[in-house]
């Protein structure tokens, strides 16, 4: 029996789609990250019950941090993107968290810059607040050790390929780190939208990009680039196709990053059938219904899609590009 709802809904489900293909399906993944980070802060004395925690969020982390604060008796203030919808706004209000949303922006970069700028203003006015820094602080890795332990017990022995979105880096990066510490042979496929600076696609815009949480228009310091073996850059249309096919073929209703992960995992699996493939579904599909799933009749069949394999970031192009990140990094550094 769980002592708090956050402990209950954080638990993911491992869903076997094929003998060698598994979905790591969360209701809302970042609860693990937020709970682990807040526990660490309390245990280390960095914060104490009654303190206020503050951070920026496009939606998923806002709910996670609010629940973690509710669980541990802390106050919560969120500077949110315009993607924080009414359903979440009402939940945050009832949970006692305060939310302020920045003005609508023309692009992701301006949205993130406005949120970070507003946090700086709030901290200047309230120096006792603790900024969680989900984009930068590696304390957000800690909560995923438990997930990695569960995966190690349940996934068949042998090499594993893990695929998932790269936002702050705390999910795919942490899971890979802890699975490797357990002795697993793990390769990591990271997924990015076009226009994200983290893996160098900022020069290739995707005006339809609403894949919240996996892209970055500013530097995220807790992304460990060397953990990633392959990177796939996927646009909105391809992510939608993957999401629609995931729901149609498996019944899993998940966000756009899950659709992108499913699409890229199926592609990677074609090249090497000797591994177990695990892709991450970080949240449910509910907040993507109007802006994405409602367009399902126009989604292309995934069998018609294939990535443009690149050897240099100059070759990036929509709708879908892929590369060995290690090779690109070595060429960039002249080795």
């Amino acid at each position: 029996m769980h002592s708090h709802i956050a402990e209950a809904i954080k638990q993911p489900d491992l869903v076997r789609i094929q003998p060698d293909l598994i979905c790591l399906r969360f209701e809302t993944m970042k609860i693990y990250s937020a709970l682990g980070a807040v526990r660490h802060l309390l245990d280390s004395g960095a914060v104490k019950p009654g303190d206020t925690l503050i951070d920026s969020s496009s939606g998923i982390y806002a709910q996670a941090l609010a629940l973690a604060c509710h669980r541990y008796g802390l106050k919560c203030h969120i500077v949110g993107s315009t993607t924080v919808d009414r359903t979440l706004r009402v939940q945050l209000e009832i949970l006692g968290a305060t939310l302020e949303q920045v003005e609508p922006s023309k692009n992701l970069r301006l949205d993130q810059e406005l949120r970070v700028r507003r946090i700086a203003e709030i901290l200047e006015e309230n120096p006792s607040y603790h900024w969680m820094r989900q984009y930068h602080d590696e304390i957000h890795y800690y909560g995923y050790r438990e997930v990695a332990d569960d995966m190690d017990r349940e996934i068949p022995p042998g090499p594993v390929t893990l695929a998932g979105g790269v936002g702050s880096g705390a999910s795919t990066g942490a899971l890979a780190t802890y699975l490797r510490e357990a002795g697993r042979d793990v390769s990591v496929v990271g997924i990015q939208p076009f226009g994200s600076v983290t893996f160098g696609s900022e020069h290739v815009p995707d005006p339809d990009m609403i894949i919240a949480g996996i892209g970055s228009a500013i530097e995220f310091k807790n992304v460990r680039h060397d953990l990633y073996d392959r990177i796939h850059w996927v646009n909105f249309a391809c992510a939608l196709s993957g999401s629609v096919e995931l729901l149609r073929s498996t019944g899993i209703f998940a966000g756009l990053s899950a659709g992108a992960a499913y699409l890229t995992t199926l592609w990677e699996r074609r090249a090497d059938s000797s591994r177990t493939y695990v892709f991450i579904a970080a949240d449910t599909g509910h907040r993507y219904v109007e802006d994405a799933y409602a367009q399902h009749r126009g989604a292309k069949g995934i069998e018609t899609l294939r990535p443009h394999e690149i050897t240099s970031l100059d070759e990036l192009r929509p709708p879908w590009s892929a590369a060995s990140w290690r090779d690109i990094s070595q060429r960039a550094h002249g080795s």
Side-chain angles (χ1 to χ4, degrees):
M1 185 176 296
H2 301 285
S3 59
H4 191 273
I5 187 62
E7 304 290 347
I9 63 176
K10 75 176 184 179
Q11 193 69 32
D13 301 302
L14 280 165
V15 182
R16 188 184 298 278
I17 295 172
Q18 297 288 339
D20 63 342
L21 180 61
I22 295 169
C23 177
L24 179 64
R25 185 261 183 197
F26 292 85
E27 181 172 339
T28 176
M29 181 184 67
K30 288 192 175 181
I31 289 181
Y32 258 113
S33 182
L35 285 172
V38 171
R39 277 198 305 266
H40 173 79
L41 291 171
L42 288 165
D43 290 346
S44 67
V47 302
K48 59 184 184 300
D51 284 354
T52 298
L53 307 186
I54 182 173
D55 213 344
S56 163
S57 175
S58 60
I60 299 175
Y61 186 77
Q63 181 192 27
L65 186 59
L67 284 170
C69 288
H70 188 275
R71 165 74 174 82
Y72 289 111
L74 295 151
K75 297 172 185 175
C76 177
H77 184 78
I78 299 294
V79 177
S81 169
T82 53
T83 56
V84 178
D85 60 20
R86 185 172 184 271
T87 300
L88 181 52
R89 290 199 304 269
V90 171
Q91 288 183 68
L92 294 175
E93 183 178 349
I94 295 172
L95 283 168
T98 53
L99 167 71
E100 57 177 287
Q101 289 177 272
V102 296
E103 293 295 319
S105 302
K106 294 181 180 179
N107 55 57
L108 177 63
R109 180 180 185 85
L110 183 57
D111 178 73
Q112 289 179 332
E113 286 179 346
L114 287 174
R115 284 187 270 144
V116 172
R117 191 182 308 155
R118 178 58 187 145
I119 285 176
E121 293 171 354
I122 293 170
L123 290 172
E124 188 172 348
E125 297 164 3
N126 303 274
S128 65
Y129 286 11
H130 182 88
W131 182 17
M132 291 299 292
R133 302 174 76 246
Q134 68 148 322
Y135 302 141
H136 308 303
D137 198 328
E138 293 195 1
I139 62 172
H140 290 91
Y141 277 57
Y142 298 156
Y144 290 109
R145 183 180 290 277
E146 184 180 339
V147 185
D149 289 344
D150 290 343
M151 291 172 67
D152 190 40
R153 283 193 299 270
E154 295 195 40
I155 294 173
V160 174
T161 292
L162 174 69
V166 184
S168 68
S171 56
T172 44
L175 290 172
T177 296
Y178 296 135
L179 284 169
R180 286 167 178 166
E181 285 182 4
R184 285 277 187 166
D185 172 0
V186 180
S187 65
V188 187
V189 178
I191 298 154
Q192 284 275 275
F194 291 97
S196 174
V197 306
T198 303
F199 287 91
S201 67
E202 64 269 23
H203 61 291
V204 186
D206 179 7
D208 297 320
M209 196 281 286
I210 58 166
I211 314 174
I214 73 168
S216 57
I218 58 177
E219 182 187 6
F220 287 0
K221 294 181 180 177
N222 62 5
V223 176
R224 302 176 189 167
H225 291 76
D226 61 332
L227 293 176
Y228 296 86
D229 300 282
R230 297 266 296 166
I231 297 294
H232 284 250
W233 294 265
V234 180
N235 76 352
F236 168 79
C238 287
L240 175 61
S241 293
S243 299
V244 169
E245 182 58 32
L246 178 62
L247 178 57
R248 180 182 289 128
S249 62
T250 71
I252 296 172
F253 181 48
L256 286 173
S257 68
Y262 181 55
L263 178 70
T264 59
T265 299
L266 292 178
W267 182 263
E268 292 289 329
R269 184 168 164 249
R270 294 183 184 186
D272 185 356
S273 61
S274 67
R275 311 177 70 85
T276 297
Y277 290 82
V278 181
F279 68 94
I280 297 172
D283 60 347
T284 66
H286 294 85
R287 67 177 178 146
Y288 299 97
V289 171
E290 294 301 324
D291 292 331
Y293 277 98
Q295 304 175 41
H296 70 92
R297 290 184 180 86
K300 292 183 178 180
I302 62 172
E303 70 281 355
T304 68
L305 304 173
R306 60 188 301 120
H308 168 55
E309 193 72 27
I310 66 171
T311 58
S312 165
L313 293 175
D314 294 334
E315 300 170 0
L316 274 169
R317 68 178 189 225
W320 178 10
S321 293
S324 164
W325 182 250
R326 297 184 185 281
D327 289 348
I328 283 183
S329 297
Q330 287 172 359
R331 288 190 183 94
H333 291 94
S335 48

